[in-house]
Amino acid sequence: MKNTKNMIPTIFKTLHVSNLDELGELYKNWDDYEHDVIQLAGYVGHLVTTEILLRYLDNKKAKILDAGCGTGLVGHILFNKSYKNIVGIDFSQEMLNRALKKNVYQSLSLGDLTQKLDFEDDTFDAVICAGTFTCGHVGPEALNEIIRITKSGGYISFTVRKQEWEASPYEKIIRDLENSGLWIQIERHTSEYNTQEGINCQLCLFQVTI
């Protein structure tokens, strides 16, 4: 991916890491994370994923996993909408420390979405994953594990940055999961993502059927 005059330098670095250790160091020292992604890049992934999920999820007591919760942008929105049974997971302890200060999660844990997660099958009524399916972070293979931990009838709401969607086999994996009867598509369309950078995403909402 080429850099552009619109891309924030810190964001550019996170999209071009060679491994998760390098990515972790970037997040560890990213003191102005929320300012950079929201104010400078115009990030709206946390807004669009919660909006689409809450159009369908009526149960305010639903157990929701914020997968790749970062500093808690999604959790803060859900909590303010009276969804209080929220669990967060992220691979960066520094991001979790910031999320903890928002006081909106039932629990927060360190975990890698590219690996098997430490949750039982059918644990969550919904999983929301905003800004995590992106270059250098988490790929489409993680969708299998997210389905595993979501209850039958539960929702999975996620964004995929445009460049990541085009570079990785999201279309094939999503279609294979549908053909296997694991989930059905509720909505999928192009959405704003980083508005100041002019970057869009695929906004997806699926319902687990197993």
Side-chain angles (χ1 to χ4, degrees), residues 72-89:
L73 295 174
V74 162
H76 186 255
I77 295 172
L78 292 172
F79 190 87
N80 287 340
K81 295 287 186 179
S82 299
Y83 292 81
K84 306 294 177 67
N85 192 8
I86 317 167
V87 173
I89 184 172

Side-chain angles (χ1 to χ4, degrees), residues 45-63:
H46 58 308
L47 301 176
V48 297
T49 47
T50 51
E51 180 183 6
I52 195 173
L53 174 64
L54 298 187
R55 286 209 294 267
Y56 297 88
L57 185 67
D58 297 323
N59 180 14
K60 296 292 179 68
K61 295 182 179 180
K63 187 171 185 178

Side-chain angles (χ1 to χ4, degrees), residues 21 24 34 45 48 61 67 75 102 139 146 155-156 188 194:
D21 289 338
E34 289 194 9
V48 297
K61 295 182 179 180
K102 287 185 168 64
I146 290 175
Y155 295 102
I156 300 173
R188 178 167 75 83
N194 283 357

Side-chain angles (χ1 to χ4, degrees), residues 26-188:
L26 287 174
Y27 279 111
K28 181 178 181 180
N29 298 296
W30 197 347
D31 295 332
D32 298 323
Y33 172 80
E34 289 194 9
H35 174 266
D36 286 355
V37 298
I38 295 175
Q39 300 301 323
L40 298 184
Y43 173 70
V44 295
H46 58 308
L47 301 176
V48 297
T49 47
T50 51
E51 180 183 6
I52 195 173
L53 174 64
L54 298 187
R55 286 209 294 267
Y56 297 88
L57 185 67
D58 297 323
N59 180 14
K60 296 292 179 68
K61 295 182 179 180
K63 187 171 185 178
I64 304 172
L65 175 65
D66 184 2
C69 64
T71 60
L73 295 174
V74 162
H76 186 255
I77 295 172
L78 292 172
F79 190 87
N80 287 340
K81 295 287 186 179
S82 299
Y83 292 81
K84 306 294 177 67
N85 192 8
I86 317 167
V87 173
I89 184 172
D90 199 271
F91 85 108
S92 168
Q93 186 60 55
E94 287 71 23
M95 294 286 114
L96 290 171
N97 292 342
R98 298 178 194 182
L100 181 64
K101 295 177 181 179
K102 287 185 168 64
N103 295 311
V104 298
Y105 292 95
Q106 290 290 322
S107 66
L108 288 164
S109 60
L110 197 64
D112 182 354
L113 295 176
T114 67
Q115 305 295 323
K116 183 175 174 61
L117 301 175
D118 192 22
F119 298 113
E120 298 292 332
D121 295 357
D122 309 319
T123 296
F124 298 99
D125 298 293
V127 176
I128 188 165
C129 193
T132 302
F133 290 109
T134 189
C135 308
H137 289 61
V138 177
E141 297 80 8
L143 293 170
N144 292 274
E145 185 68 358
I146 290 175
I147 289 174
R148 180 187 69 78
I149 63 175
T150 305
K151 296 177 182 178
S152 180
Y155 295 102
I156 300 173
S157 174
F158 60 98
T159 58
V160 184
R161 186 184 173 102
K162 179 178 183 290
Q163 293 92 337
E164 168 66 5
W165 180 272
E166 294 171 348
S168 299
Y170 284 88
E171 292 269 18
K172 181 183 185 304
I173 288 177
I174 285 173
R175 184 171 60 251
D176 288 347
L177 293 170
E178 286 183 288
N179 292 339
S180 298
L182 298 179
W183 67 2
I184 57 172
Q185 178 179 302
I186 304 300
E187 291 192 34
R188 178 167 75 83

